[in-house]
Amino acid sequence: LGGALQRAAFALPVADVDRLTVRYAAPAKLFDDLKGMGETNCLARRGKALRRDCLAAASGRLAAEGNVTFDLVTLTGWSPHESQHKPLAPGSAAHSLARAVSKL
């Protein structure tokens, strides 16, 4: 995703992921939250629907486990400006990374 920010002409791109585990007492509450997040069936736009057997299997698994894990992705980039730090030329480092790592 950081590469996508670079291709979109953002400078100093950062892609970060936070993993969040949430406990649900009932599948219906999860489905309400997914709808509220705008994460409902992406296949609906293509004229396809989620099959009942898949929905029943997902509901059964959620009822058994109770936990759902969400990956929250944050993308950050800045509009380029001449005052931003510029990367150093390759090989111009004043200190050796290998030497610093070997001290750990």
Side-chain angles (χ1 to χ4, degrees):
L1 294 172
L5 287 173
Q6 286 178 315
R7 287 190 300 278
F10 284 100
L12 306 171
V14 176
D16 202 12
V17 177
D18 291 310
R19 185 157 282 161
L20 178 67
T21 300
V22 181
R23 183 174 240 348
Y24 284 96
K29 180 60 179 151
L30 167 63
F31 299 143
D32 286 344
D33 284 352
L34 288 172
K35 186 175 182 179
M37 290 186 285
E39 296 295 329
T40 53
N41 190 356
C42 64
L43 297 174
R45 283 184 262 171
R46 296 190 337 198
K48 298 181 180 181
L50 185 63
R51 295 188 334 245
R52 289 178 192 253
D53 61 328
C54 291
L55 184 59
S59 296
R61 185 172 176 183
L62 178 62
E65 295 178 15
N67 294 331
V68 175
T69 302
F70 295 97
D71 286 339
L72 306 174
V73 179
T74 304
L75 301 175
T76 307
W78 289 264
S79 180
H81 191 270
E82 64 273 356
S83 68
Q84 287 177 333
H85 295 285
K86 305 290 186 266
L88 298 175
S92 65
H95 302 283
S96 166
L97 178 61
R99 190 170 163 201
V101 172
S102 70
K103 292 182 180 183
L104 296 177

